[in-house]
Short mmCIF file of all heavy atoms in Angstrom, two decimals:
data_model
loop_
_atom_site.label_atom_id
_atom_site.label_comp_id
_atom_site.label_asym_id
_atom_site.label_seq_id
_atom_site.Cartn_x
_atom_site.Cartn_y
_atom_site.Cartn_z
N MET J 1 -235.62 -89.72 -118.70
CA MET J 1 -237.02 -90.06 -118.45
C MET J 1 -237.06 -91.44 -117.78
O MET J 1 -236.55 -92.42 -118.34
CB MET J 1 -237.78 -90.07 -119.77
CG MET J 1 -239.19 -90.56 -119.69
SD MET J 1 -239.95 -90.59 -121.33
CE MET J 1 -241.59 -90.18 -120.89
N PRO J 2 -237.66 -91.53 -116.64
CA PRO J 2 -237.78 -92.84 -115.99
C PRO J 2 -238.84 -93.69 -116.68
O PRO J 2 -239.50 -93.23 -117.62
CB PRO J 2 -238.20 -92.48 -114.57
CG PRO J 2 -238.90 -91.17 -114.71
CD PRO J 2 -238.21 -90.45 -115.84
N ALA J 3 -239.01 -94.89 -116.20
CA ALA J 3 -240.04 -95.77 -116.75
C ALA J 3 -241.39 -95.06 -116.68
O ALA J 3 -241.63 -94.22 -115.81
CB ALA J 3 -240.09 -97.07 -115.96
N LEU J 4 -242.26 -95.40 -117.60
CA LEU J 4 -243.58 -94.78 -117.65
C LEU J 4 -244.39 -95.14 -116.40
O LEU J 4 -244.20 -96.21 -115.81
CB LEU J 4 -244.32 -95.23 -118.91
CG LEU J 4 -243.68 -94.74 -120.21
CD1 LEU J 4 -244.31 -95.43 -121.41
CD2 LEU J 4 -243.79 -93.23 -120.35
N SER J 5 -245.28 -94.25 -116.01
CA SER J 5 -246.03 -94.43 -114.76
C SER J 5 -247.00 -95.62 -114.82
O SER J 5 -247.26 -96.24 -113.80
CB SER J 5 -246.79 -93.16 -114.41
OG SER J 5 -247.69 -92.83 -115.45
N LYS J 6 -247.51 -95.92 -115.99
CA LYS J 6 -248.41 -97.07 -116.13
C LYS J 6 -247.59 -98.27 -116.61
O LYS J 6 -246.97 -98.21 -117.67
CB LYS J 6 -249.52 -96.77 -117.13
CG LYS J 6 -250.50 -95.73 -116.64
CD LYS J 6 -251.66 -95.60 -117.61
CE LYS J 6 -252.67 -94.59 -117.10
NZ LYS J 6 -253.81 -94.48 -118.00
N PRO J 7 -247.58 -99.34 -115.83
CA PRO J 7 -246.79 -100.52 -116.23
C PRO J 7 -247.15 -101.04 -117.62
O PRO J 7 -246.27 -101.48 -118.37
CB PRO J 7 -247.11 -101.56 -115.16
CG PRO J 7 -247.52 -100.75 -113.97
CD PRO J 7 -248.20 -99.53 -114.53
N LYS J 8 -248.42 -100.99 -117.99
CA LYS J 8 -248.82 -101.46 -119.32
C LYS J 8 -248.16 -100.62 -120.41
O LYS J 8 -247.74 -101.15 -121.44
CB LYS J 8 -250.34 -101.40 -119.48
CG LYS J 8 -251.09 -102.46 -118.72
CD LYS J 8 -252.57 -102.35 -119.02
CE LYS J 8 -253.35 -103.51 -118.47
NZ LYS J 8 -254.75 -103.50 -118.91
N TYR J 9 -248.07 -99.32 -120.18
CA TYR J 9 -247.44 -98.44 -121.16
C TYR J 9 -245.95 -98.76 -121.28
O TYR J 9 -245.39 -98.73 -122.37
CB TYR J 9 -247.62 -96.98 -120.77
CG TYR J 9 -248.99 -96.41 -120.98
CD1 TYR J 9 -250.08 -97.21 -121.31
CD2 TYR J 9 -249.23 -95.05 -120.85
CE1 TYR J 9 -251.34 -96.68 -121.49
CE2 TYR J 9 -250.49 -94.50 -121.03
CZ TYR J 9 -251.54 -95.32 -121.36
OH TYR J 9 -252.78 -94.78 -121.55
N GLU J 10 -245.31 -99.05 -120.15
CA GLU J 10 -243.89 -99.38 -120.18
C GLU J 10 -243.66 -100.68 -120.95
O GLU J 10 -242.71 -100.79 -121.73
CB GLU J 10 -243.34 -99.51 -118.76
CG GLU J 10 -241.87 -99.80 -118.69
CD GLU J 10 -240.97 -98.70 -119.21
OE1 GLU J 10 -241.41 -97.52 -119.28
OE2 GLU J 10 -239.82 -98.99 -119.58
N ILE J 11 -244.53 -101.65 -120.78
CA ILE J 11 -244.42 -102.91 -121.52
C ILE J 11 -244.54 -102.65 -123.01
O ILE J 11 -243.77 -103.19 -123.81
CB ILE J 11 -245.50 -103.92 -121.04
CG1 ILE J 11 -245.20 -104.38 -119.62
CG2 ILE J 11 -245.61 -105.11 -121.99
CD1 ILE J 11 -246.32 -105.15 -118.96
N VAL J 12 -245.50 -101.82 -123.39
CA VAL J 12 -245.69 -101.48 -124.81
C VAL J 12 -244.44 -100.79 -125.34
O VAL J 12 -243.93 -101.13 -126.42
CB VAL J 12 -246.94 -100.60 -125.00
CG1 VAL J 12 -247.02 -100.06 -126.41
CG2 VAL J 12 -248.21 -101.39 -124.67
N ALA J 13 -243.90 -99.83 -124.60
CA ALA J 13 -242.72 -99.09 -125.05
C ALA J 13 -241.51 -100.01 -125.18
O ALA J 13 -240.76 -99.92 -126.16
CB ALA J 13 -242.41 -97.95 -124.07
N GLN J 14 -241.32 -100.91 -124.22
CA GLN J 14 -240.19 -101.84 -124.28
C GLN J 14 -240.29 -102.74 -125.51
O GLN J 14 -239.30 -103.00 -126.19
CB GLN J 14 -240.14 -102.70 -123.01
CG GLN J 14 -239.77 -101.96 -121.76
CD GLN J 14 -238.30 -101.61 -121.67
OE1 GLN J 14 -237.46 -102.21 -122.32
NE2 GLN J 14 -237.99 -100.62 -120.85
N ALA J 15 -241.50 -103.23 -125.79
CA ALA J 15 -241.69 -104.11 -126.94
C ALA J 15 -241.50 -103.36 -128.25
O ALA J 15 -240.90 -103.89 -129.20
CB ALA J 15 -243.07 -104.76 -126.88
N LEU J 16 -241.97 -102.13 -128.32
CA LEU J 16 -241.77 -101.34 -129.54
C LEU J 16 -240.28 -101.07 -129.75
O LEU J 16 -239.78 -101.14 -130.88
CB LEU J 16 -242.53 -100.02 -129.45
CG LEU J 16 -244.04 -100.10 -129.62
CD1 LEU J 16 -244.69 -98.77 -129.28
CD2 LEU J 16 -244.40 -100.50 -131.05
N ALA J 17 -239.57 -100.78 -128.68
CA ALA J 17 -238.14 -100.52 -128.77
C ALA J 17 -237.38 -101.77 -129.22
O ALA J 17 -236.31 -101.66 -129.83
CB ALA J 17 -237.60 -100.03 -127.43
N ALA J 18 -237.93 -102.94 -128.94
CA ALA J 18 -237.32 -104.20 -129.36
C ALA J 18 -237.60 -104.50 -130.83
O ALA J 18 -237.13 -105.51 -131.36
CB ALA J 18 -237.81 -105.34 -128.49
N GLY J 19 -238.39 -103.65 -131.48
CA GLY J 19 -238.64 -103.81 -132.90
C GLY J 19 -239.92 -104.54 -133.25
O GLY J 19 -240.11 -104.92 -134.41
N LYS J 20 -240.77 -104.75 -132.30
CA LYS J 20 -242.04 -105.45 -132.56
C LYS J 20 -243.00 -104.51 -133.30
O LYS J 20 -242.90 -103.30 -133.21
CB LYS J 20 -242.69 -105.88 -131.26
CG LYS J 20 -241.82 -106.72 -130.37
CD LYS J 20 -241.94 -108.16 -130.74
CE LYS J 20 -241.14 -108.98 -129.72
NZ LYS J 20 -241.16 -110.35 -129.99
N SER J 21 -243.96 -105.11 -134.01
CA SER J 21 -245.00 -104.32 -134.66
C SER J 21 -245.96 -103.79 -133.60
O SER J 21 -245.86 -104.17 -132.44
CB SER J 21 -245.75 -105.18 -135.68
OG SER J 21 -246.50 -106.16 -134.99
N GLN J 22 -246.90 -102.98 -133.96
CA GLN J 22 -247.83 -102.42 -132.98
C GLN J 22 -248.72 -103.48 -132.34
O GLN J 22 -249.07 -103.37 -131.17
CB GLN J 22 -248.71 -101.36 -133.62
CG GLN J 22 -247.97 -100.09 -133.94
CD GLN J 22 -248.88 -99.03 -134.53
OE1 GLN J 22 -250.04 -99.29 -134.82
NE2 GLN J 22 -248.34 -97.85 -134.72
N ALA J 23 -249.07 -104.51 -133.06
CA ALA J 23 -250.00 -105.51 -132.53
C ALA J 23 -249.40 -106.27 -131.34
O ALA J 23 -250.07 -106.45 -130.32
CB ALA J 23 -250.40 -106.49 -133.63
N ASP J 24 -248.16 -106.71 -131.48
CA ASP J 24 -247.54 -107.51 -130.42
C ASP J 24 -247.37 -106.74 -129.11
O ASP J 24 -247.73 -107.24 -128.05
CB ASP J 24 -246.21 -108.09 -130.88
CG ASP J 24 -246.38 -109.13 -131.98
OD1 ASP J 24 -247.46 -109.76 -132.05
OD2 ASP J 24 -245.44 -109.32 -132.77
N PRO J 25 -246.82 -105.52 -129.14
CA PRO J 25 -246.71 -104.76 -127.89
C PRO J 25 -248.07 -104.45 -127.27
O PRO J 25 -248.21 -104.48 -126.04
CB PRO J 25 -246.01 -103.47 -128.30
CG PRO J 25 -245.29 -103.81 -129.54
CD PRO J 25 -246.13 -104.85 -130.22
N TYR J 26 -249.04 -104.17 -128.10
CA TYR J 26 -250.37 -103.85 -127.60
C TYR J 26 -250.94 -105.04 -126.84
O TYR J 26 -251.47 -104.90 -125.74
CB TYR J 26 -251.28 -103.44 -128.76
CG TYR J 26 -252.55 -102.74 -128.35
CD1 TYR J 26 -252.52 -101.44 -127.90
CD2 TYR J 26 -253.78 -103.37 -128.45
CE1 TYR J 26 -253.69 -100.78 -127.53
CE2 TYR J 26 -254.95 -102.74 -128.09
CZ TYR J 26 -254.90 -101.43 -127.63
OH TYR J 26 -256.05 -100.78 -127.27
N ARG J 27 -250.79 -106.22 -127.42
CA ARG J 27 -251.27 -107.43 -126.74
C ARG J 27 -250.43 -107.74 -125.50
O ARG J 27 -250.96 -108.17 -124.48
CB ARG J 27 -251.21 -108.62 -127.71
CG ARG J 27 -252.28 -108.56 -128.76
CD ARG J 27 -252.25 -109.81 -129.64
NE ARG J 27 -253.21 -109.70 -130.71
CZ ARG J 27 -252.90 -109.67 -132.01
NH1 ARG J 27 -251.65 -109.77 -132.40
NH2 ARG J 27 -253.85 -109.57 -132.91
N ALA J 28 -249.11 -107.51 -125.58
CA ALA J 28 -248.24 -107.77 -124.44
C ALA J 28 -248.61 -106.88 -123.25
O ALA J 28 -248.45 -107.28 -122.10
CB ALA J 28 -246.78 -107.53 -124.83
N GLY J 29 -249.13 -105.71 -123.55
CA GLY J 29 -249.57 -104.80 -122.49
C GLY J 29 -250.88 -105.21 -121.86
O GLY J 29 -251.35 -104.58 -120.91
N GLY J 30 -251.50 -106.26 -122.39
CA GLY J 30 -252.73 -106.77 -121.82
C GLY J 30 -253.99 -106.24 -122.48
O GLY J 30 -255.09 -106.43 -121.98
N TYR J 31 -253.83 -105.60 -123.61
CA TYR J 31 -254.98 -105.04 -124.31
C TYR J 31 -255.49 -106.03 -125.36
O TYR J 31 -254.73 -106.83 -125.87
CB TYR J 31 -254.58 -103.74 -125.02
CG TYR J 31 -254.10 -102.65 -124.09
CD1 TYR J 31 -252.75 -102.37 -123.95
CD2 TYR J 31 -255.01 -101.90 -123.36
CE1 TYR J 31 -252.30 -101.38 -123.11
CE2 TYR J 31 -254.57 -100.90 -122.51
CZ TYR J 31 -253.21 -100.65 -122.40
OH TYR J 31 -252.79 -99.66 -121.56
N ILE J 32 -256.76 -105.91 -125.68
CA ILE J 32 -257.35 -106.68 -126.78
C ILE J 32 -257.08 -105.88 -128.05
O ILE J 32 -257.45 -104.72 -128.15
CB ILE J 32 -258.86 -106.90 -126.57
CG1 ILE J 32 -259.07 -107.75 -125.32
CG2 ILE J 32 -259.49 -107.55 -127.79
CD1 ILE J 32 -260.51 -107.87 -124.89
N TYR J 33 -256.42 -106.51 -129.00
CA TYR J 33 -255.94 -105.81 -130.18
C TYR J 33 -257.07 -105.29 -131.06
O TYR J 33 -257.93 -106.04 -131.51
CB TYR J 33 -255.03 -106.71 -131.01
CG TYR J 33 -254.52 -106.04 -132.26
CD1 TYR J 33 -253.63 -104.99 -132.17
CD2 TYR J 33 -254.94 -106.44 -133.51
CE1 TYR J 33 -253.16 -104.36 -133.30
CE2 TYR J 33 -254.47 -105.82 -134.65
CZ TYR J 33 -253.58 -104.77 -134.54
OH TYR J 33 -253.12 -104.15 -135.67
N LYS J 34 -257.03 -104.00 -131.26
CA LYS J 34 -257.86 -103.30 -132.24
C LYS J 34 -256.90 -102.32 -132.92
O LYS J 34 -256.27 -101.50 -132.23
CB LYS J 34 -259.01 -102.56 -131.57
CG LYS J 34 -260.01 -103.52 -130.95
CD LYS J 34 -261.19 -102.78 -130.37
CE LYS J 34 -262.13 -103.82 -129.74
NZ LYS J 34 -263.25 -103.20 -129.09
N PRO J 35 -256.74 -102.41 -134.24
CA PRO J 35 -255.72 -101.62 -134.93
C PRO J 35 -255.74 -100.12 -134.61
O PRO J 35 -254.69 -99.53 -134.38
CB PRO J 35 -256.02 -101.88 -136.41
CG PRO J 35 -256.66 -103.22 -136.43
CD PRO J 35 -257.48 -103.28 -135.16
N ALA J 36 -256.90 -99.52 -134.61
CA ALA J 36 -256.97 -98.07 -134.37
C ALA J 36 -256.50 -97.73 -132.95
O ALA J 36 -255.77 -96.76 -132.74
CB ALA J 36 -258.39 -97.55 -134.59
N ASN J 37 -256.91 -98.52 -131.98
CA ASN J 37 -256.51 -98.26 -130.60
C ASN J 37 -255.02 -98.51 -130.40
O ASN J 37 -254.35 -97.77 -129.68
CB ASN J 37 -257.32 -99.13 -129.63
CG ASN J 37 -258.78 -98.76 -129.62
OD1 ASN J 37 -259.18 -97.69 -130.07
ND2 ASN J 37 -259.61 -99.65 -129.10
N ALA J 38 -254.50 -99.58 -131.01
CA ALA J 38 -253.07 -99.87 -130.91
C ALA J 38 -252.26 -98.74 -131.52
O ALA J 38 -251.26 -98.30 -130.95
CB ALA J 38 -252.76 -101.19 -131.60
N ASN J 39 -252.69 -98.27 -132.67
CA ASN J 39 -251.99 -97.18 -133.33
C ASN J 39 -252.01 -95.93 -132.46
O ASN J 39 -250.99 -95.26 -132.30
CB ASN J 39 -252.63 -96.89 -134.69
CG ASN J 39 -251.87 -95.84 -135.46
OD1 ASN J 39 -250.67 -95.93 -135.60
ND2 ASN J 39 -252.58 -94.85 -135.97
N ARG J 40 -253.13 -95.61 -131.90
CA ARG J 40 -253.27 -94.42 -131.06
C ARG J 40 -252.33 -94.50 -129.85
O ARG J 40 -251.64 -93.54 -129.52
CB ARG J 40 -254.72 -94.25 -130.61
CG ARG J 40 -255.00 -92.94 -129.93
CD ARG J 40 -256.49 -92.76 -129.59
NE ARG J 40 -257.34 -92.91 -130.78
CZ ARG J 40 -258.23 -93.91 -130.95
NH1 ARG J 40 -258.40 -94.83 -130.03
NH2 ARG J 40 -258.96 -93.98 -132.04
N LEU J 41 -252.32 -95.65 -129.20
CA LEU J 41 -251.47 -95.80 -128.01
C LEU J 41 -249.99 -95.78 -128.39
O LEU J 41 -249.19 -95.09 -127.75
CB LEU J 41 -251.79 -97.11 -127.29
CG LEU J 41 -250.92 -97.40 -126.06
CD1 LEU J 41 -251.16 -96.35 -124.98
CD2 LEU J 41 -251.21 -98.78 -125.52
N CYS J 42 -249.62 -96.51 -129.43
CA CYS J 42 -248.22 -96.61 -129.81
C CYS J 42 -247.66 -95.28 -130.33
O CYS J 42 -246.46 -95.07 -130.31
CB CYS J 42 -248.02 -97.70 -130.85
SG CYS J 42 -248.33 -99.36 -130.18
N ARG J 43 -248.53 -94.42 -130.78
CA ARG J 43 -248.09 -93.11 -131.29
C ARG J 43 -248.27 -91.99 -130.27
O ARG J 43 -248.06 -90.82 -130.59
CB ARG J 43 -248.82 -92.77 -132.57
CG ARG J 43 -248.42 -93.65 -133.72
CD ARG J 43 -248.99 -93.14 -135.02
NE ARG J 43 -248.47 -93.88 -136.14
CZ ARG J 43 -247.36 -93.55 -136.80
NH1 ARG J 43 -246.67 -92.51 -136.43
NH2 ARG J 43 -246.96 -94.27 -137.82
N SER J 44 -248.64 -92.33 -129.06
CA SER J 44 -248.79 -91.29 -128.05
C SER J 44 -247.42 -90.69 -127.75
O SER J 44 -246.40 -91.38 -127.78
CB SER J 44 -249.42 -91.85 -126.77
OG SER J 44 -248.50 -92.65 -126.08
N PRO J 45 -247.37 -89.39 -127.49
CA PRO J 45 -246.08 -88.73 -127.27
C PRO J 45 -245.25 -89.35 -126.13
O PRO J 45 -244.02 -89.47 -126.26
CB PRO J 45 -246.48 -87.29 -126.92
CG PRO J 45 -247.80 -87.10 -127.58
CD PRO J 45 -248.47 -88.44 -127.49
N ALA J 46 -245.89 -89.76 -125.06
CA ALA J 46 -245.15 -90.34 -123.93
C ALA J 46 -244.49 -91.65 -124.33
O ALA J 46 -243.32 -91.90 -124.01
CB ALA J 46 -246.08 -90.55 -122.74
N ILE J 47 -245.21 -92.49 -125.04
CA ILE J 47 -244.65 -93.78 -125.45
C ILE J 47 -243.58 -93.59 -126.51
O ILE J 47 -242.52 -94.22 -126.44
CB ILE J 47 -245.77 -94.75 -125.90
CG1 ILE J 47 -246.58 -95.15 -124.67
CG2 ILE J 47 -245.19 -95.96 -126.62
CD1 ILE J 47 -247.63 -96.19 -124.88
N GLU J 48 -243.81 -92.71 -127.47
CA GLU J 48 -242.79 -92.47 -128.49
C GLU J 48 -241.50 -91.94 -127.86
O GLU J 48 -240.41 -92.36 -128.23
CB GLU J 48 -243.31 -91.49 -129.55
CG GLU J 48 -244.27 -92.13 -130.52
CD GLU J 48 -244.68 -91.21 -131.65
OE1 GLU J 48 -244.58 -89.97 -131.50
OE2 GLU J 48 -245.09 -91.74 -132.69
N ALA J 49 -241.63 -91.03 -126.90
CA ALA J 49 -240.44 -90.49 -126.23
C ALA J 49 -239.71 -91.59 -125.46
O ALA J 49 -238.47 -91.65 -125.49
CB ALA J 49 -240.84 -89.36 -125.28
N ARG J 50 -240.45 -92.45 -124.79
CA ARG J 50 -239.83 -93.54 -124.03
C ARG J 50 -239.13 -94.53 -124.96
O ARG J 50 -238.03 -95.00 -124.65
CB ARG J 50 -240.89 -94.25 -123.18
CG ARG J 50 -240.36 -95.37 -122.35
CD ARG J 50 -239.41 -94.90 -121.26
NE ARG J 50 -239.00 -96.04 -120.46
CZ ARG J 50 -237.77 -96.25 -120.01
NH1 ARG J 50 -236.84 -95.34 -120.21
NH2 ARG J 50 -237.49 -97.32 -119.33
N VAL J 51 -239.74 -94.83 -126.10
CA VAL J 51 -239.13 -95.74 -127.07
C VAL J 51 -237.81 -95.14 -127.56
O VAL J 51 -236.79 -95.84 -127.63
CB VAL J 51 -240.08 -96.04 -128.25
CG1 VAL J 51 -239.35 -96.75 -129.37
CG2 VAL J 51 -241.26 -96.86 -127.77
N GLU J 52 -237.81 -93.86 -127.90
CA GLU J 52 -236.58 -93.20 -128.35
C GLU J 52 -235.50 -93.26 -127.27
O GLU J 52 -234.33 -93.50 -127.57
CB GLU J 52 -236.86 -91.75 -128.73
CG GLU J 52 -237.62 -91.60 -130.02
CD GLU J 52 -237.88 -90.15 -130.37
OE1 GLU J 52 -237.12 -89.27 -129.92
OE2 GLU J 52 -238.86 -89.91 -131.09
N GLU J 53 -235.90 -93.07 -126.02
CA GLU J 53 -234.95 -93.13 -124.92
C GLU J 53 -234.36 -94.54 -124.78
O GLU J 53 -233.15 -94.71 -124.63
CB GLU J 53 -235.63 -92.72 -123.62
CG GLU J 53 -234.68 -92.76 -122.44
CD GLU J 53 -235.38 -92.42 -121.14
OE1 GLU J 53 -236.56 -92.78 -120.99
OE2 GLU J 53 -234.74 -91.81 -120.28
N ILE J 54 -235.21 -95.55 -124.83
CA ILE J 54 -234.75 -96.93 -124.70
C ILE J 54 -233.79 -97.28 -125.83
O ILE J 54 -232.73 -97.86 -125.60
CB ILE J 54 -235.95 -97.90 -124.68
CG1 ILE J 54 -236.79 -97.69 -123.42
CG2 ILE J 54 -235.48 -99.35 -124.78
CD1 ILE J 54 -238.15 -98.36 -123.46
N VAL J 55 -234.15 -96.92 -127.04
CA VAL J 55 -233.30 -97.21 -128.21
C VAL J 55 -231.95 -96.48 -128.06
O VAL J 55 -230.89 -97.05 -128.33
CB VAL J 55 -234.01 -96.83 -129.52
CG1 VAL J 55 -233.07 -96.87 -130.70
CG2 VAL J 55 -235.20 -97.75 -129.75
N GLY J 56 -232.00 -95.23 -127.61
CA GLY J 56 -230.77 -94.47 -127.41
C GLY J 56 -229.88 -95.09 -126.35
O GLY J 56 -228.65 -95.17 -126.51
N GLU J 57 -230.48 -95.55 -125.25
CA GLU J 57 -229.71 -96.20 -124.19
C GLU J 57 -229.06 -97.48 -124.70
O GLU J 57 -227.89 -97.75 -124.40
CB GLU J 57 -230.61 -96.53 -122.99
CG GLU J 57 -231.04 -95.32 -122.20
CD GLU J 57 -232.07 -95.66 -121.13
OE1 GLU J 57 -232.51 -96.83 -121.04
OE2 GLU J 57 -232.45 -94.74 -120.37
N ARG J 58 -229.79 -98.25 -125.46
CA ARG J 58 -229.24 -99.49 -126.01
C ARG J 58 -228.10 -99.21 -126.97
O ARG J 58 -227.08 -99.90 -126.95
CB ARG J 58 -230.33 -100.30 -126.71
CG ARG J 58 -231.30 -100.92 -125.76
CD ARG J 58 -232.37 -101.71 -126.47
NE ARG J 58 -233.35 -102.21 -125.52
CZ ARG J 58 -234.48 -102.75 -125.85
NH1 ARG J 58 -234.81 -102.88 -127.13
NH2 ARG J 58 -235.33 -103.18 -124.94
N ALA J 59 -228.25 -98.19 -127.80
CA ALA J 59 -227.19 -97.83 -128.75
C ALA J 59 -225.94 -97.38 -128.01
O ALA J 59 -224.82 -97.74 -128.39
CB ALA J 59 -227.68 -96.73 -129.69
N ALA J 60 -226.11 -96.62 -126.94
CA ALA J 60 -224.96 -96.16 -126.15
C ALA J 60 -224.24 -97.34 -125.50
O ALA J 60 -223.01 -97.39 -125.48
CB ALA J 60 -225.41 -95.15 -125.10
N LYS J 61 -225.01 -98.29 -124.98
CA LYS J 61 -224.40 -99.47 -124.35
C LYS J 61 -223.65 -100.30 -125.38
O LYS J 61 -222.56 -100.81 -125.11
CB LYS J 61 -225.47 -100.33 -123.67
CG LYS J 61 -225.99 -99.73 -122.39
CD LYS J 61 -227.05 -100.62 -121.77
CE LYS J 61 -227.63 -99.97 -120.52
NZ LYS J 61 -228.71 -100.80 -119.94
N GLU J 62 -224.21 -100.44 -126.57
CA GLU J 62 -223.54 -101.21 -127.62
C GLU J 62 -222.26 -100.52 -128.06
O GLU J 62 -221.24 -101.18 -128.29
CB GLU J 62 -224.48 -101.41 -128.81
CG GLU J 62 -225.60 -102.39 -128.52
CD GLU J 62 -226.61 -102.48 -129.66
OE1 GLU J 62 -226.36 -101.91 -130.74
OE2 GLU J 62 -227.64 -103.14 -129.45
N ALA J 63 -222.30 -99.19 -128.18
CA ALA J 63 -221.11 -98.44 -128.57
C ALA J 63 -220.02 -98.60 -127.51
O ALA J 63 -218.84 -98.77 -127.84
CB ALA J 63 -221.46 -96.97 -128.77
N LYS J 64 -220.41 -98.54 -126.25
CA LYS J 64 -219.45 -98.70 -125.15
C LYS J 64 -218.83 -100.11 -125.19
O LYS J 64 -217.62 -100.26 -125.02
CB LYS J 64 -220.15 -98.47 -123.82
CG LYS J 64 -219.28 -98.57 -122.62
CD LYS J 64 -218.36 -97.38 -122.51
CE LYS J 64 -217.62 -97.46 -121.18
NZ LYS J 64 -216.61 -96.43 -121.06
N ALA J 65 -219.65 -101.12 -125.43
CA ALA J 65 -219.15 -102.48 -125.51
C ALA J 65 -218.18 -102.64 -126.67
O ALA J 65 -217.14 -103.31 -126.54
CB ALA J 65 -220.31 -103.47 -125.65
N ARG J 66 -218.49 -102.02 -127.81
CA ARG J 66 -217.59 -102.09 -128.95
C ARG J 66 -216.26 -101.41 -128.63
O ARG J 66 -215.19 -101.91 -128.97
CB ARG J 66 -218.22 -101.42 -130.19
CG ARG J 66 -219.05 -102.36 -131.00
CD ARG J 66 -219.46 -101.73 -132.32
NE ARG J 66 -220.90 -101.84 -132.40
CZ ARG J 66 -221.76 -100.83 -132.27
NH1 ARG J 66 -221.34 -99.62 -132.09
NH2 ARG J 66 -223.04 -101.04 -132.34
N GLU J 67 -216.35 -100.28 -127.97
CA GLU J 67 -215.14 -99.53 -127.61
C GLU J 67 -214.26 -100.37 -126.67
O GLU J 67 -213.05 -100.44 -126.86
CB GLU J 67 -215.53 -98.22 -126.92
CG GLU J 67 -214.38 -97.34 -126.55
CD GLU J 67 -214.83 -96.06 -125.87
OE1 GLU J 67 -215.86 -95.50 -126.29
OE2 GLU J 67 -214.15 -95.65 -124.93
N ILE J 68 -214.87 -101.00 -125.70
CA ILE J 68 -214.13 -101.87 -124.78
C ILE J 68 -213.49 -103.03 -125.54
O ILE J 68 -212.33 -103.38 -125.32
CB ILE J 68 -215.03 -102.38 -123.64
CG1 ILE J 68 -215.41 -101.21 -122.73
CG2 ILE J 68 -214.38 -103.49 -122.86
CD1 ILE J 68 -216.50 -101.52 -121.73
N GLY J 69 -214.24 -103.61 -126.46
CA GLY J 69 -213.72 -104.72 -127.27
C GLY J 69 -212.55 -104.30 -128.13
O GLY J 69 -211.56 -105.03 -128.26
N ILE J 70 -212.63 -103.14 -128.71
CA ILE J 70 -211.55 -102.64 -129.56
C ILE J 70 -210.29 -102.41 -128.74
O ILE J 70 -209.18 -102.77 -129.14
CB ILE J 70 -211.98 -101.35 -130.29
CG1 ILE J 70 -213.02 -101.69 -131.36
CG2 ILE J 70 -210.78 -100.63 -130.91
CD1 ILE J 70 -213.71 -100.50 -131.99
N HIS J 71 -210.45 -101.82 -127.56
CA HIS J 71 -209.29 -101.58 -126.69
C HIS J 71 -208.71 -102.89 -126.18
O HIS J 71 -207.49 -103.00 -125.99
CB HIS J 71 -209.67 -100.67 -125.52
CG HIS J 71 -209.90 -99.26 -125.92
ND1 HIS J 71 -208.91 -98.47 -126.50
CD2 HIS J 71 -210.99 -98.46 -125.86
CE1 HIS J 71 -209.39 -97.27 -126.75
NE2 HIS J 71 -210.66 -97.24 -126.39
N ALA J 72 -209.54 -103.88 -125.97
CA ALA J 72 -209.04 -105.17 -125.49
C ALA J 72 -208.21 -105.88 -126.57
O ALA J 72 -207.27 -106.60 -126.25
CB ALA J 72 -210.20 -106.06 -125.05
N LEU J 73 -208.59 -105.68 -127.82
CA LEU J 73 -207.86 -106.30 -128.92
C LEU J 73 -206.55 -105.58 -129.22
O LEU J 73 -205.62 -106.18 -129.73
CB LEU J 73 -208.72 -106.33 -130.19
CG LEU J 73 -209.92 -107.27 -130.14
CD1 LEU J 73 -210.75 -107.09 -131.41
CD2 LEU J 73 -209.46 -108.71 -130.01
N GLY J 74 -206.53 -104.28 -128.94
CA GLY J 74 -205.37 -103.45 -129.31
C GLY J 74 -204.25 -103.54 -128.41
O GLY J 74 -203.42 -104.19 -128.06
#
């Protein structure tokens, strides 16, 4: 899945993937924080899917780095 079509949504997804609460990503996307609206946006299927993808990519990169480090030590 490529980056989300709306830049604000991509900012929200990136911040959520970094472990931020719903309020911070919602504000980072340029929205005025309202809990119900932040929850609705952060739980949208497109954003949840993008967050899972980002987290998966980061985990794969970390695993690859560990593997390289282990082989370098061995």
Side-chain angles (χ1 to χ4, degrees):
M1 173 183 214
L4 295 170
S5 60
K6 292 186 178 182
K8 286 184 171 187
Y9 285 10
E10 182 66 21
I11 291 168
V12 171
Q14 291 285 339
L16 286 170
K20 305 273 185 181
S21 68
Q22 288 182 353
D24 293 334
Y26 196 73
R27 287 184 184 117
Y31 299 102
I32 296 172
Y33 179 68
K34 293 184 181 177
N37 294 343
N39 185 50
R40 190 176 304 114
L41 178 65
C42 293
R43 291 189 172 270
S44 73
I47 290 186
E48 284 186 337
R50 181 66 177 139
V51 169
E52 287 180 25
E53 180 183 34
I54 293 166
V55 169
E57 288 173 357
R58 287 180 184 169
K61 286 180 184 178
E62 288 174 8
K64 182 73 173 174
R66 272 190 234 108
E67 182 180 321
I68 291 169
I70 289 170
H71 288 299
L73 291 175

